Amino acid sequence: MATLADPSGKEGAPTTLPTPPTRLFANVLTPKPPSPEWVPDYRLSMKDGIPAIRFAPHDLIRSEQIMAYALILKFSAGRPSLNDIRSHISLHWGLSCNPVVGLIDPRHVLLKLTSEADVIKTMVREKKHIKGFWFRLFRWTSSFDPRKDSSLASVWVLFLGYG
């Protein structure tokens, strides 16, 4: 604690001020720890002799919210590299932000977009090929299974005389 003398010159108890915390230069430059990321609650179990992971219902809802703008590209006859996919999307699709591109399996690629506007812009694209590899486009759902074709299909209807 630091003490100050009374400026009026009168005798009395000295005024005490708290000492400010010392800040070291190294502490100022040290990066702050990242904010904690969401980690779902899960339980490991066995189902029919096969290891299984069980998630709480609220975590499944949260994962669906995180994946709200996710799309699946399904390549039937080969696919370009992930770097080729990323660069093609960046150069030709005109999205507001570059999507996260990830591999689900050799035929399926996950695109995680940032907005519904980008999802719509991607879904209405006429050219559905990258580097000569044709793909089909689906919205991601929690029931997605790469071993099965989706039962959902996008349909675009044009009404003549409107718009």
Side-chain angles (χ1 to χ4, degrees), residues 53-105:
I53 301 174
R54 294 180 184 222
F55 295 97
H58 67 274
D59 287 326
L60 292 176
I61 292 168
R62 169 82 190 229
S63 70
E64 288 180 0
Q65 291 169 344
I66 290 171
M67 299 294 284
Y69 307 127
L71 299 175
I72 305 287
L73 278 67
K74 180 177 183 178
F75 293 89
S76 295
R79 72 167 167 75
S81 71
L82 290 181
N83 285 334
D84 286 343
I85 294 171
R86 285 185 192 102
S87 64
H88 180 86
I89 291 171
S90 176
L91 292 172
H92 301 289
W93 288 15
L95 303 177
S96 62
C97 293
N98 287 332
V100 174
V101 179
L103 190 62
I104 296 174
D105 66 16

Side-chain angles (χ1 to χ4, degrees), residues 3-73:
T3 58
L4 294 176
D6 187 2
S8 64
K10 296 182 183 173
E11 299 270 338
T15 306
T16 59
L17 297 174
T19 306
T22 54
R23 295 188 74 190
L24 300 174
F25 185 69
N27 291 346
V28 173
L29 295 178
T30 303
K32 292 182 173 82
S35 59
E37 292 185 21
W38 170 65
V39 177
D41 295 328
Y42 63 91
R43 271 188 254 163
L44 300 176
S45 63
M46 298 292 276
K47 175 144 175 78
D48 300 327
I50 299 172
I53 301 174
R54 294 180 184 222
F55 295 97
H58 67 274
D59 287 326
L60 292 176
I61 292 168
R62 169 82 190 229
S63 70
E64 288 180 0
Q65 291 169 344
I66 290 171
M67 299 294 284
Y69 307 127
L71 299 175
I72 305 287
L73 278 67

Side-chain angles (χ1 to χ4, degrees), residues 71-78 93 107-109 111 122-123 127-130 133-139 144 146 148-154:
L71 299 175
I72 305 287
L73 278 67
K74 180 177 183 178
F75 293 89
S76 295
W93 288 15
R107 296 176 63 182
H108 296 88
V109 174
L111 291 183
T122 301
M123 294 293 286
K127 295 183 179 176
K128 300 236 182 340
H129 61 87
I130 298 174
F133 295 97
W134 290 89
F135 63 87
R136 288 181 285 161
L137 197 56
F138 305 98
R139 275 201 101 135
F144 172 73
K148 298 178 184 173
D149 279 334
S150 175
S151 60
L152 303 174
S154 299

